[in-house]
Amino acid sequence: LDDAVGLANASWMRASLSDELEEAAEWAQTAESRCRAIDSPTALAHCLEVRALIELRRGRREGHRRRLSHSFGRGDDRTNCNGRNRQ
């Protein structure tokens, strides 16, 4: 786990296991940054799913919809989780 891929995956898994929502959100944000840095669409999709679950646990319905849409490659920013530019 001392490589970039291991750290990225461990971060989103830590976020998914945390009972404290603020701690989970911080781990998930770290995980998303790490997943984007290593250009790993699969790990990023898992991370965005975890972030969506955290948003649901917080009662933020719109936040989870946006993150899930992005994890499925239909995000509202310039690239989806597969790294492809949106048209």
Side-chain angles (χ1 to χ4, degrees), residues 11 14-31 50-51 53-55 57-60 67:
S11 296
R14 172 74 187 255
S16 70
L17 297 173
S18 178
D19 290 330
E20 297 293 326
L21 292 179
E22 289 306 314
E23 178 183 295
E26 289 174 18
W27 277 107
Q29 183 175 359
T30 298
V50 169
R51 291 195 80 180
L53 290 172
I54 293 167
E55 293 296 318
R57 289 171 57 198
R58 288 176 156 176
R60 299 178 182 166
R67 292 193 193 285

Side-chain angles (χ1 to χ4, degrees), residues 2-14:
D2 62 348
D3 66 358
V5 174
L7 287 172
N9 285 315
S11 296
W12 70 257
M13 292 195 68
R14 172 74 187 255

Side-chain angles (χ1 to χ4, degrees), residues 74-87:
R74 295 179 288 217
D76 57 0
D77 64 358
R78 24 184 257 297
T79 60
N80 61 32
C81 72
N82 294 318
R84 293 188 209 119
N85 288 329
R86 296 194 34 88
Q87 301 298 331

